[in-house]
Amino acid sequence: MKRLKRFGSIATSTVIAFSTMMGMGFGSVVHATANTCTWTGATDSKFSTTTNWADCNSTSPVAGDVINLPYIDSATHTLTNDLSGNPALGGITIGNTSSTGGSTSYVIDTLHFADGATITSNTFGVSLGISDSVTADGSLLFIGGPRFSAISKDITVNFGNVTYQNVPATCAGGGVPDYTFTWAPSGVATVGNNSTYSLHGTESSVVVQTKGVLFLPSSITTYAGNISLAGGAGADTCGTPIDYQLAAYEDTTLSGDISLGGSTKYFVGDGKTLTVSGAISGAGFSLTNSSNDYSTGTFVNSSSSNNSDTPSGTNSVAVTTDPAITDDQPTTDLTVTPKHIMTLDGSRQTVSVSSGGVLKGTGTAKSLYVNAGGTVAPGHSPGKLTVLTTLGLDGTYQAELKNATAGNYDQLVVGNAADTSGHDVTLGDGTTLPTLTVSLYDGASIKAGDNFTIIDNLSKTDVSGTFKDLAEGATFKVNDGVFKITYKGGDGNDVVLTAVTAPKAPDTGFALVSSNPMVTLGAVVVVAGVLLGLARRSHKSTSRR
């Protein structure tokens, strides 16, 4: 999930680890004898002061010059670009050639780039913020992973073509600023070797070279431009291989022509669909499902002209039911990967359920983390799953009910009486809440007043958070019966469902009906949850970015 979380932030832009930047098109350089002018700040904060610059022919920068912002100290330096006529610079270099261990922050009011200007980053020890505007006369070339951020207002830079060379994803780190910095090319975007690029939708077309990676962010639902993919997998300059060249995190349609230079792997987020409706030529698309990159969504080839090896129709990863784990290995961790149903009847240490994975069984985990999009369904319809210390639930809890007798309804037993601080049971990650679905199992017999302790919190601490749409005391319908939920039930800190009115018995098998406050939506009601999630803690599953 760490990678899934990481690349999901690329798709959004902002502090801009230049995953969303672009530029190339090699126009002529304006200044015949261009200099690389290095900022020293020896005199004041003004660009026009010649003594603030080194290696600049004893002058301040002129059109075509490249300005270099080196590491100076661990401080913020606010600069004013008061150059006469706002000359078009040949580029900007951010950082020294070697890491200093510190970080210098520059804030500049405005920059103006010439056609063909190059933006280069040597290290991540220097950051650049813009307080007013950036303009460009044409194409831009990006080398390395420089960072720009908008300081006091949203900033959009429009230009022509863009080329990325060795531009990574977010390995530079960085938080989310208050304002958005957007680079918006109108021409061809070329994604070079070891580079990652997030589509803006303004590009006329995209060319992804060998080991380049193209991300389709959530902000783009349809892209009509043509895309050329060299084929194979990708890589980034963070030193991490990426097992695809094309990735979609929301429902996306590519209606332009697609040319495949080789067999091209794609990634589609859990519960999402990538549709290709334009003409396809060349090799074929294939999904990625390696140990690090789980494509759990759906790929639909509805091409208007399919001259490739890509099969028409729908393709997705099949769900696999793994053999039950019955042995005891209390010091061994366990990860339930996407599109896998795993039954734990033995014991493990830290158990992580990835987005798209399902954990069942009657075993024991020292700690359990169910990531958003993941599911825990205790028992063997129904049954009890034991968690000795910590439950972190961001995904879905499927609770099956037969009757109020212990063992005849699903239950998570969590913690121990020695725990008196913190929270052994945490529902949600602070921004999203998990889903609760309630199912009536075959032969269910439930009467008004029956109680079901679906989370037995053995610790002395309260439950942190709630299920989505189910605040303390909320009521909801299950098969025409009304249930009430409390997070203060049992001995004061258990999650308990109480039947206010008796539900109808299911006709056959088990009828899955999910809780939704006082609303019945037929046989199945979805109540909560984020189907594509990010790991809630750093030690959770790396199910996929």
Side-chain angles (χ1 to χ4, degrees):
M1 290 292 241
K2 287 190 293 188
R3 294 177 70 181
L4 183 60
K5 184 176 182 178
R6 183 177 70 182
F7 289 115
S9 71
I10 295 173
T12 60
S13 77
T14 49
V15 162
I16 304 260
F18 272 37
S19 324
T20 51
M21 301 187 185
M22 14 266 155
M24 171 80 190
F26 297 112
S28 58
V29 176
V30 176
H31 197 284
T33 56
N35 301 305
T36 297
C37 303
T38 300
W39 177 263
T40 64
T43 303
D44 54 31
S45 63
K46 297 180 179 180
F47 271 29
S48 62
T49 304
T50 59
T51 51
N52 283 329
W53 301 96
D55 305 319
C56 204
N57 283 341
S58 300
T59 184
S60 54
V62 297
D65 283 348
V66 175
I67 63 172
N68 176 33
L69 302 178
Y71 171 80
I72 297 177
D73 50 31
S74 296
T76 298
H77 299 267
T78 301
L79 314 183
T80 301
N81 182 359
D82 60 342
L83 297 174
S84 177
N86 193 20
L89 300 173
I92 187 169
T93 299
I94 303 172
N96 304 76
T97 56
S98 61
S99 178
T100 61
S103 179
T104 299
S105 296
Y106 290 94
V107 176
I108 300 175
D109 53 352
T110 184
L111 288 172
H112 179 194
F113 291 117
D115 181 24
T118 300
I119 300 173
T120 305
S121 178
N122 291 313
T123 71
F124 296 101
V126 175
S127 63
L128 173 58
I130 303 296
S131 61
D132 189 5
S133 65
V134 176
T135 55
D137 291 343
S139 302
L140 296 178
L141 166 66
F142 291 91
I143 300 176
R147 294 184 297 166
F148 277 37
S149 60
I151 299 300
S152 56
K153 65 178 181 179
D154 293 341
I155 295 174
T156 298
V157 184
N158 298 297
F159 54 99
N161 299 330
V162 54
T163 295
Y164 267 16
Q165 293 181 3
N166 296 312
V167 177
T170 55
C171 52
V176 177
D178 293 331
Y179 300 94
T180 300
F181 199 110
T182 304
W183 299 81
S186 59
V188 178
T190 301
V191 188
N193 183 53
N194 295 331
S195 294
T196 58
Y197 180 79
S198 186
L199 189 72
H200 281 81
T202 58
E203 303 88 346
S204 62
S205 61
V206 182
V207 176
V208 184
Q209 299 176 347
T210 302
K211 292 187 177 180
V213 182
L214 175 63
F215 294 98
L216 307 175
S218 58
S219 58
I220 298 177
T221 57
T222 301
Y223 178 63
N226 298 334
I227 299 177
S228 174
L229 296 152
D236 66 22
T237 53
C238 301
T240 305
I242 301 173
D243 194 31
Y244 51 79
Q245 276 208 310
L246 181 68
Y249 295 96
E250 295 293 339
D251 294 337
T252 307
T253 297
L254 302 178
S255 59
D257 294 345
I258 296 179
S259 174
L260 305 174
S263 180
T264 303
K265 292 186 176 182
Y266 63 81
F267 168 84
V268 185
D270 186 45
K272 307 304 177 182
T273 300
L274 173 61
T275 302
V276 175
S277 61
I280 306 178
S281 62
F285 272 118
S286 61
L287 59 85
T288 178
N289 203 37
S290 73
S291 59
N292 292 320
D293 301 289
Y294 297 100
S295 183
T296 56
T298 300
F299 178 85
V300 177
N301 179 13
S302 59
S303 173
S304 58
S305 175
N306 186 8
N307 294 309
S308 73
D309 297 331
T310 309
S312 298
T314 300
N315 187 20
S316 62
V317 180
V319 175
T320 300
T321 300
D322 296 319
I325 296 174
T326 58
D327 61 325
D328 292 324
Q329 296 186 36
T331 60
T332 300
D333 293 340
L334 174 66
T335 297
V336 183
T337 54
K339 296 286 185 172
H340 282 254
I341 300 173
M342 188 170 290
T343 300
L344 176 63
D345 289 335
S347 64
R348 288 296 186 269
Q349 185 165 257
T350 299
V351 178
S352 298
V353 183
S354 306
S355 176
V358 178
L359 176 67
K360 304 180 72 173
T362 58
T364 299
K366 182 178 180 181
S367 56
L368 172 60
Y369 301 100
V370 183
N371 294 307
T375 298
V376 58
H380 300 280
S381 297
K384 177 178 71 176
L385 187 65
T386 300
V387 182
L388 299 177
T389 59
T390 304
L391 169 65
L393 178 56
D394 292 344
T396 297
Y397 180 4
Q398 290 183 354
E400 294 177 285
L401 311 179
K402 186 173 183 180
N403 58 55
T405 303
N408 284 343
Y409 62 89
D410 281 341
Q411 185 179 64
L412 290 170
V413 178
V414 184
N416 61 80
D419 299 332
T420 58
S421 62
H423 298 283
D424 282 14
V425 179
T426 301
L427 304 178
D429 61 5
T431 57
T432 58
L433 297 175
T435 302
L436 173 66
T437 64
V438 179
S439 309
L440 300 184
Y441 189 67
D442 186 24
S445 176
I446 299 172
K447 60 183 183 297
D450 283 351
N451 293 315
F452 303 88
T453 305
I454 60 172
I455 300 181
D456 186 4
N457 182 7
L458 301 181
S459 75
K460 301 299 184 183
T461 66
D462 293 334
V463 173
S464 174
T466 66
F467 290 104
K468 186 180 179 183
D469 296 330
L470 295 174
E472 171 64 26
T475 56
F476 56 93
K477 283 188 175 182
V478 177
N479 223 24
D480 284 339
V482 176
F483 283 76
K484 182 177 181 179
I485 190 170
T486 180
Y487 303 88
K488 302 176 181 179
D491 58 1
N493 62 354
D494 300 328
V495 181
V496 177
L497 305 181
T498 300
V500 179
T501 62
K504 294 179 181 178
D507 295 330
T508 59
F510 77 84
L512 174 63
V513 283
S514 303
S515 54
N516 193 8
M518 297 308 298
V519 178
T520 300
L521 298 181
V524 181
V525 181
V526 176
V527 186
V530 178
L531 294 180
L532 173 62
L534 306 177
R536 67 187 301 280
R537 303 187 184 181
S538 61
H539 59 275
K540 290 185 185 179
S541 160
T542 56
S543 67
R544 184 51 305 222
R545 339 197 289 159

